Amino acid sequence: MGSSEKTILVTGGAGFIGTHTVVQLLNDGYRVSIIDNLDNSVIEAVHRVKDLVGPELSQKLDFNLGDLRNRDDLEKLFPKTKFDAVIHFAGLKAVAESVGNPRRYFDNNLIGTINLYEVMAKYNRKKMVFSSSATVYGQPEKIPCVEDFELKAMNPYGRTKLFLEEIARDIQKAEPDWSIILLRYFNPVGAHESGKIGEDPKCCSNRGIPNNLMPYIQQVAVGRLPELNVFGHDYPTKDGSAVCSRLHPCYGLADGHIAAVRKLFSSENIGCIAYNLGTGSGTSVLEMVAAFEKASGKKIPIKLCPRRPGDATAVYASTEKAQKELGWKAKYGIAEMCKDQWKWASNNPWGYQSKP
Ligand code: UD1
């Protein structure tokens, strides 16, 4: 069966990584159904996806407002469409918020995913790609991180990803007809090269201020925030700031999901298997600031601040397994990622909304 006859359910498809992956799935000929509760995304993002892929491919996309915590929302979808696979992005991801409000994280990330498995099992749809995170390596003793490292979590958000990996392994072990691919993401930087879709966190828990580095830098560059707080300048790294591996949302993450979906359809007995989606080297926070300044031509004023609780010193990935088994490798360097992110930011200084 060609990809044109296959339908993928994408949970959280209106979000940052979701929209970029949906564009790629449609361009690759898949039909896509999104389910999203718009908790940290807006419907305008889905309109932009349609605009990007054009009227013909847009007909292969349908959007369903729904919350995975409400099983009825899933029960409405599964009987009417025979999903060939599910890509499960929906979830909360702000580390600091999870420390202050762990129940919100357990409710959204755990209950939502457990419901999803229940409904998938009921309708015998048993192929899944799950958004895991490099957070499951905690503070690794060695780098680069290899998939069979010991796993540990450093905060409630990370614990939800770790528990959900364990849940996936348990389900697949008990019911071997499941095929589950766990993708451990490193940090996405950039946006679609059109500048039409990108990261636009609502940050409702943080008075409109982004939690993650790149959306924060972006808001400083467009004048919405005065300066960047650099959390930690005394780490044992090349310049004292924390180091991690970055990849482009299209030429890293979305491509990685397409490769994972292809594997679900082309290989038997996958079991439950994890892959790093990252690069074999890391970039520091200060290097990211310099690269963004270069791409945007804007000065990013910084303030050196104490370390942020729950952050790792340096995390980057071994990508050998994904390269060998998925045929995937992240493309694009930091300069190109920053260029695309700046295009999105300068075209959309207030994200998907117009200036308030
Ligand atoms: C975190 C999670 C990661 C998750 C990602 C989701 C951990 C350890 N990491 O990534 O698993 O996938 O969120 O988006 O659970 N920084 C600043 N100033 C800022 C913001 C960030 O200096 O205003 C620094 C941080 O201290 C950190 C680095 O930038 O050292 C990257 O931070 P961030 O972009 O928030 O992502 P992670 O914490 O790496």
Side-chain angles (χ1 to χ4, degrees):
M1 205 199 279
S3 57
S4 58
E5 292 147 80
K6 292 201 169 11
T7 305
I8 314 292
L9 175 65
V10 181
T11 76
F16 173 38
I17 306 172
T19 43
H20 288 79
T21 303
V22 168
V23 167
Q24 212 120 322
L25 285 167
L26 291 166
N27 281 331
D28 262 34
Y30 293 96
R31 296 185 164 275
V32 177
S33 283
I34 293 175
I35 180 167
D36 199 303
N37 66 1
L38 302 181
D39 180 80
N40 191 23
S41 55
V42 288
I43 195 65
E44 173 63 15
V46 179
H47 297 152
R48 300 268 184 106
V49 166
K50 290 188 172 173
D51 185 30
L52 257 177
V53 299
E56 203 177 313
L57 292 182
S58 290
Q59 285 175 15
K60 294 184 164 190
L61 172 64
D62 82 282
F63 175 82
N64 304 274
L65 182 64
D67 192 314
L68 304 190
R69 289 170 297 175
N70 179 8
R71 215 167 128 170
D72 286 349
D73 289 355
L74 288 165
E75 287 276 4
K76 273 185 225 147
L77 289 183
F78 276 74
K80 63 174 189 190
T81 310
K82 201 163 157 280
F83 298 116
D84 296 289
V86 175
I87 302 182
H88 177 32
F89 291 112
L92 301 177
K93 66 169 183 75
V95 173
E97 183 192 33
S98 79
V99 175
N101 193 353
R103 279 194 288 107
R104 180 165 145 79
Y105 276 67
F106 298 145
D107 183 35
N108 271 275
N109 295 7
L110 299 183
I111 307 289
T113 308
I114 291 165
N115 278 339
L116 180 61
Y117 278 119
E118 286 301 310
V119 178
M120 287 174 73
K122 179 171 166 187
Y123 292 91
N124 199 27
R125 314 317 305 163
K126 293 189 171 176
K127 292 188 196 302
M128 155 95 111
V129 178
F130 172 65
S131 296
S132 186
S133 163
T135 195
V136 298
Y137 293 117
Q139 170 65 68
E141 273 158 34
K142 282 186 294 186
I143 31 181
C145 301
V146 177
E147 284 84 349
D148 60 6
F149 272 13
E150 193 194 329
L151 305 180
K152 47 190 177 293
M154 303 209 303
N155 52 64
Y157 156 74
R159 236 171 318 276
T160 65
K161 292 293 176 187
L162 184 53
F163 290 165
L164 289 169
E165 282 211 2
E166 299 294 9
I167 286 171
R169 282 185 276 271
D170 284 343
I171 289 177
Q172 202 285 326
K173 199 168 162 196
E175 300 164 27
D177 53 338
W178 282 88
S179 295
I180 306 176
I181 295 184
L182 310 169
L183 296 179
R184 295 182 183 152
Y185 309 163
F186 287 72
N187 299 45
V189 175
H192 191 272
E193 61 202 356
S194 64
K196 287 190 175 161
I197 56 171
E199 187 168 14
D200 180 25
K202 277 190 188 161
C203 330
C204 31
S205 60
N206 197 21
R207 288 170 284 113
I209 298 171
N211 296 289
N212 297 111
L213 180 66
M214 294 317 291
Y216 202 111
I217 292 185
Q218 181 180 313
Q219 292 199 10
V220 174
V222 298
R224 284 169 64 177
L225 290 168
E227 63 187 0
L228 170 75
N229 298 314
V230 172
F231 299 129
H233 49 94
D234 56 354
Y235 283 109
T237 58
K238 44 194 161 184
D239 58 21
S241 63
V243 167
C244 71
S245 159
R246 326 263 168 184
L247 69 170
H248 194 280
C250 305
Y251 306 106
L253 287 173
D255 278 355
H257 287 79
I258 303 288
V261 164
R262 278 202 197 115
K263 184 168 176 82
L264 283 181
F265 295 137
S266 61
S267 313
E268 299 287 321
N269 304 321
I270 289 175
C272 179
I273 186 161
Y275 295 101
N276 289 335
L277 292 190
T279 60
S281 63
T283 316
S284 74
V285 171
L286 292 174
E287 284 172 334
M288 286 313 299
V289 173
F292 201 85
E293 284 184 332
K294 199 163 171 209
S296 64
K298 302 275 177 189
K299 178 87 193 125
I300 309 289
I302 59 165
K303 186 165 133 201
L304 297 178
C305 301
R307 294 180 185 191
R308 188 174 70 172
D311 275 343
T313 304
V315 192
Y316 50 87
S318 160
T319 57
E320 234 170 80
K321 188 174 170 194
Q323 232 169 297
K324 207 166 128 209
E325 296 180 21
L326 297 178
W328 170 91
K329 192 172 188 295
K331 292 181 220 119
Y332 268 34
I334 296 297
E336 290 129 317
M337 293 181 207
C338 288
K339 180 174 141 265
D340 284 348
Q341 178 140 1
W342 176 239
K343 185 166 183 189
W344 153 252
S346 51
N347 287 347
N348 306 273
W350 295 87
Y352 289 111
Q353 334 275 343
S354 37
K355 189 175 176 176

